[in-house]
Amino acid sequence: MAMSPAHHLLKFRHGCMLTVKCFRFPCVKHLTTFRTSNPKSKNLQKQASELLEYSQEENVKSIAAEHFSLFTNFITSEEETSLITEIDTKWRRLKYQKGHWDNAIQDYRELEIRDWRRPNASIIQRIQEVAFDDGDVKNNLIHVLDLSPIGFINPHVDSTRFCGRVIAGLSLLSPCVMKYTHKDDASIWFQALLPPKSLYIMRDRVRYEFEHEILKNEDSLFKGEKVNKSRRVSLLCRSQPQAELDEKPGQLFKPITLFENT
Ligand code: OGA
Ligand code: MN
């Protein structure tokens, strides 16, 4: 896929955080099969297959099946309220920001929370238990991203400097469409309709070979139907990059090289 310079810039979504370092973007390993202690998880995953839409390309379905998971109703409405209540005490006067300097994201605000109130801390722990495999090093700084009703995230790949193989996102308040497009061939894509209270996990090939985006409200179409995206908050749990997995050449998944000059 031929890429414009602007498109390249988008890839630096987390790379641009160098000056503020991982303070603002902590970041983010491999699960071939989903492992969890939650006995209901298999059912949840089954329901969730209806929330995926694929391009014609035949391999994309099997890549998504192996490297992407979506769990509906991962939390209850009470837990959602509890998370939002805590998050909303933290913005202080922070207003939605128009755009990031790399334009990867628009009409958003974000923060990082390490120490959660007790009921919420156990939700974070549940996410981490489901998302990470043995050997993953979790990043305990949880990135909270609040998109206003007109907010969206342009296509990007999270920085390999700050993020490891797994990125797990819990969606709150509003549905939205998250689209994954192969970085070398835009005809290879899949998208997920993310309901509030759902958890998605992207790992390995989906995390490294596909750019992900959250569509703006007016572009939010899923299987031909309009999805009304309003204010949407996400909690992003990422594994730490691990030198032997993320930086060594010749690994199974060659990471995109960012930050060559840093
Ligand atoms: C990001 C990102 C996705 C989400 O912040 O890099 O891709 O679900 N967020 O909010
Ligand atoms: Mn991202």
Side-chain angles (χ1 to χ4, degrees):
M1 181 174 60
M3 280 199 254
S4 64
H7 200 94
H8 271 296
L9 266 183
L10 298 179
K11 295 199 153 189
F12 288 77
R13 164 114 175 78
H14 291 120
C16 62
M17 293 298 134
L18 275 185
T19 46
V20 280
K21 223 177 160 234
C22 27
F23 189 74
R24 289 183 64 210
F25 284 93
C27 279
V28 224
K29 167 204 148 111
H30 166 84
L31 298 181
T32 35
T33 45
F34 184 78
R35 299 193 313 140
T36 171
S37 52
N38 178 352
K40 287 202 287 188
S41 62
K42 278 219 166 71
N43 287 340
L44 293 178
Q45 194 154 25
K46 203 157 157 233
Q47 289 169 27
S49 63
E50 315 211 328
L51 299 174
L52 294 178
E53 182 179 5
Y54 307 92
S55 64
Q56 296 299 318
E57 208 277 331
E58 55 188 35
N59 286 331
V60 70
K61 215 167 170 173
S62 62
I63 295 173
E66 202 172 339
H67 304 274
F68 181 84
S69 308
L70 177 58
F71 303 92
T72 53
N73 294 307
F74 187 79
I75 57 168
T76 64
S77 299
E78 291 72 33
E79 289 173 321
E80 178 182 42
T81 304
S82 167
L83 285 165
I84 289 293
T85 303
E86 176 165 6
I87 290 164
D88 280 345
T89 60
K90 311 241 178 199
W91 299 114
R92 308 224 157 77
R93 294 208 185 132
L94 186 61
K95 296 221 162 59
Y96 290 103
Q97 298 171 51
K98 266 283 151 231
H100 213 268
W101 70 265
D102 63 358
N103 286 325
I105 181 163
Q106 292 285 332
D107 293 284
Y108 73 102
R109 52 190 182 170
E110 61 193 346
L111 49 84
E112 288 181 332
I113 306 179
R114 186 188 299 275
D115 299 312
W116 293 83
R117 291 179 192 157
R118 204 177 305 145
N120 294 337
S122 62
I123 299 171
I124 304 294
Q125 197 179 342
R126 244 160 61 207
I127 296 173
Q128 292 171 330
E129 277 166 12
V130 167
F132 304 138
D133 204 358
D134 297 341
D136 284 324
V137 181
K138 57 181 196 253
N139 186 332
N140 281 319
L141 262 185
I142 307 305
H143 175 190
V144 179
L145 182 66
D146 182 344
L147 291 177
S148 87
I150 57 166
F152 62 94
I153 308 178
N154 275 318
H156 67 282
V157 176
D158 283 21
S159 158
T160 55
R161 182 179 173 112
F162 298 133
C163 313
R165 303 161 74 191
V166 180
I167 303 168
L170 183 71
S171 300
L172 306 176
L173 298 181
S174 165
C176 70
V177 181
M178 186 171 209
K179 186 170 182 187
Y180 289 84
T181 309
H182 196 278
K183 65 186 176 59
D184 298 325
D185 183 347
S187 71
I188 304 176
W189 59 266
F190 69 95
Q191 61 181 19
L193 174 58
L194 304 179
K197 304 186 291 230
S198 67
L199 177 76
Y200 70 82
I201 305 170
M202 62 171 120
R203 49 191 180 261
D204 299 324
R205 294 189 66 181
V206 168
R207 180 259 186 273
Y208 293 118
E209 296 175 19
F210 288 74
E211 296 184 334
H212 55 275
E213 65 187 302
I214 302 283
L215 302 181
K216 49 175 85 134
N217 189 31
E218 62 260 40
D219 297 339
S220 291
L221 279 183
F222 183 78
K223 297 186 181 172
E225 302 271 326
K226 179 90 185 79
V227 174
N228 279 313
K229 183 192 140 309
S230 51
R231 177 190 178 206
R232 181 218 181 228
V233 173
S234 54
L235 265 64
L236 299 156
C237 300
R238 292 159 165 128
S239 63
Q240 303 270 18
Q242 288 172 272
E244 70 278 16
L245 292 173
D246 293 304
E247 279 160 27
K248 244 201 219 157
Q251 288 290 314
L252 193 54
F253 304 106
K254 191 171 182 320
I256 295 158
T257 307
L258 302 176
F259 312 109
E260 276 173 340
N261 302 320
T262 60

